């Protein structure tokens, strides 16, 4: 379980499609975002709100001041990825702890 983040980072570093001249600077240019997002994730998980509620406004208003503006489509993609990850993570946790009526949820999923 503790190796999963390291394996993820190693996999992205090794297999992500990058420009031919991408060096270490390509991956470490925005290292400071790690601290921002760990702080944000701590706040979001402590308070129990959606990650997009904190991260998307950060990317809209503060990130352009220190880096560059992001396209609206990129912001929507980031919000959707954040929402889907948070929703799937919490859903799996609720199922794991037996807090979900499986018959009802299956009928709702199939009905939807």
């Amino acid at each position: 379980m503790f190796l999963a983040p390291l394996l993820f980072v190693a996999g992205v570093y090794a297999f992500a499609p990058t420009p031919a001249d991408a060096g270490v600077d390509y991956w470490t240019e925005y290292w400071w975002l790690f601290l921002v997002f760990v702080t944000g994730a701590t706040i979001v998980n402590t308070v129990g709100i959606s990650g997009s509620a904190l991260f998307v406004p950060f990317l809209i208003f503060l990130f352009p001041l220190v880096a560059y503006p992001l396209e609206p489509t990129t912001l929507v993609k980031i919000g959707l990825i954040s929402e889907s990850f948070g929703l799937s993570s919490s859903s799996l946790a609720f199922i794991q702890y037996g807090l979900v009526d499986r018959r009802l949820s299956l009928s709702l999923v199939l009905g939807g």
Side-chain angles (χ1 to χ4, degrees):
M1 183 166 127
F2 294 110
L3 291 177
L6 294 175
L7 292 174
F8 175 76
V9 169
V12 168
Y13 185 76
F15 301 112
T18 58
D21 60 346
V24 176
D25 291 342
Y26 179 83
W27 296 103
T28 58
E29 181 177 3
Y30 296 108
W31 64 270
W32 53 272
L33 281 176
F34 177 76
L35 302 173
V36 171
F37 282 106
V38 165
T39 304
T42 303
I43 293 168
V44 166
N45 288 318
T46 302
V47 177
I49 61 173
S50 169
S52 294
L54 193 61
F55 295 133
V56 171
F58 166 77
L59 293 171
I60 291 172
F61 299 116
L62 298 178
F63 186 74
L65 297 176
V66 293
Y68 59 91
L70 295 173
E71 295 292 321
T73 55
T74 304
L75 293 168
V76 169
K77 290 176 188 176
I78 291 170
L80 290 174
I81 290 170
S82 174
E83 286 294 327
S84 63
F85 180 76
L87 181 63
S88 62
S89 174
S90 59
S91 298
L92 290 174
F94 277 107
I95 291 169
Q96 183 180 14
Y97 288 109
L99 300 173
V100 175
D101 182 359
R102 292 179 189 221
R103 283 192 310 154
L104 176 62
S105 62
L106 182 62
S107 64
L108 290 173
V109 168
L110 292 176

